[in-house]
Amino acid sequence: MTRTEGPGALAHLRSLPSWLVGRVAAHGRSLVAEAIAQEGLRPPQHAVLAAVAEHGPVAQADLVRRLGLDAKDVVLLLNDLEDAGLAVRRPDPRDRRKNAVTVTQSGTQTLHRCAELAERANAELLSPLSAAEGRQLMDLLDRVHEARTGDRKP
């Protein structure tokens, strides 16, 4: 077996920002998933419900494009949301061949509770930092994200 010179391969991997950001992101996603599970939602369902609330009534095809999910997955997620009484599909008044999805009042209330739960989960994630450090981290992450995508925070 040959060994590389300098720090070990694992130490090198752990020194990469991409590795560290990925590990922190995985932990954050886990915290949020656990939190919103209290409302009976999984993260993909939450994302679809949030997109419908923000852009609805919205065609299913538009949800697929906005979220970058597979069309079959969106149909299954919408089935779950409809079964739970959080969203409804009705014929789109602009094109009756399509369905438009709308959030129900119960869905809106669930989203509000999920927002509170996600905020608490993220506060836990950032709890090792001071408030100023948390804001600085968010500003830095926003800059990296914006440079890559051109997306600006609203």
Side-chain angles (χ1 to χ4, degrees):
M1 276 206 286
T2 61
R3 194 176 153 112
T4 61
E5 296 297 318
L10 183 57
H12 176 260
L13 178 65
R14 289 179 174 169
S15 74
L16 298 173
S18 56
W19 185 87
L20 188 56
V21 168
R23 299 297 296 179
V24 172
H27 179 60
R29 281 191 300 275
S30 176
L31 289 171
V32 171
E34 186 178 313
I36 66 171
Q38 295 175 48
E39 289 296 322
L41 292 180
R42 297 182 321 273
Q45 294 167 321
H46 183 222
V48 169
L49 189 61
V52 171
E54 189 165 318
H55 301 287
V58 61
Q60 290 176 200
D62 290 338
L63 286 173
V64 169
R65 282 188 292 280
R66 286 184 187 281
L67 296 170
L69 298 174
D70 182 84
K72 292 178 292 240
D73 292 336
V74 170
V75 169
L76 295 173
L77 293 166
L78 287 171
N79 289 346
D80 293 341
L81 295 173
E82 255 191 323
D83 291 347
L86 304 176
V88 293
R89 285 179 276 206
R90 294 194 177 102
D92 189 331
R94 295 166 290 182
D95 184 347
R96 294 215 148 312
R97 296 169 294 170
K98 297 178 183 179
N99 281 325
V101 187
T102 306
V103 172
T104 64
Q105 183 176 357
S106 178
T108 299
Q109 293 167 347
T110 298
L111 277 173
H112 288 300
R113 288 189 301 271
C114 283
E116 292 172 8
L117 292 166
E119 288 293 332
R120 279 191 238 144
N122 277 279
E124 180 180 338
L125 177 69
L126 297 180
S127 65
L129 306 177
S130 70
E133 289 169 330
R135 285 189 302 276
Q136 181 182 20
L137 175 62
M138 288 301 297
D139 289 343
L140 294 170
L141 290 172
D142 280 339
R143 280 179 40 202
V144 171
H145 177 71
E146 184 180 318
R148 183 187 138 316
T149 64
D151 287 348
R152 289 186 171 266
K153 243 169 71 172

